[in-house]
Amino acid sequence: NTQRENLAADILVAPHHGSLTSSTWPFIQAINPQYVVFSTGYMNRFGFPKEEIVQRYQIHGAKTFNTANCGRVAFSLTKEATSINCYRNEKRGFIYKINS
């Protein structure tokens, strides 16, 4: 039981981009996340995250975010509240060029 308590996290970056074998029920129960971020590319050839895995987290009660749709996901944590911002929602309609 102590091992499970050590695994607990409010925010989780889903293992292996949300593949079918990455997030078992025992794993999700041990972590018990409130928020899950799937780090994936838009229209990736593997179809990550798998819908079954997204639903598994959602059934558990976690709010899910996918970088393919959201862009950067930023969490601001205070004692009073958690604020979550998706970069694409903030900057919708603009194209940015990064100078290198």
Side-chain angles (χ1 to χ4, degrees):
N1 201 17
T2 304
Q3 288 178 335
R4 284 187 177 203
E5 290 171 4
N6 291 339
L7 290 175
D10 292 334
I11 302 169
L12 173 69
V13 176
H16 198 242
H17 315 289
S19 70
L20 283 176
T21 59
S22 66
S23 299
T24 63
W25 277 111
F27 174 80
I28 293 170
Q29 291 170 336
I31 303 296
N32 194 29
Q34 292 181 20
Y35 307 98
V36 179
V37 177
F38 295 96
S39 178
T40 65
Y42 181 70
M43 295 182 65
N44 67 84
R45 66 182 176 161
F46 302 104
F48 293 153
K50 297 297 185 181
E51 187 60 32
E52 176 182 334
I53 300 304
V54 174
Q55 289 177 0
R56 192 174 290 172
Y57 282 105
Q58 290 172 342
I59 289 168
H60 185 74
K63 292 186 178 188
T64 59
F65 301 89
N66 185 347
T67 60
N69 303 324
C70 194
R72 180 200 70 207
V73 182
F75 291 86
S76 177
L77 309 171
T78 66
K79 289 181 182 179
E80 294 79 32
T82 299
S83 173
I84 307 161
N85 293 350
C86 289
Y87 188 76
R88 285 198 179 132
N89 291 343
E90 294 174 10
K91 306 297 183 188
R92 188 174 304 276
F94 293 95
I95 298 175
Y96 293 89
K97 181 178 179 184
I98 299 172
N99 296 326
S100 48

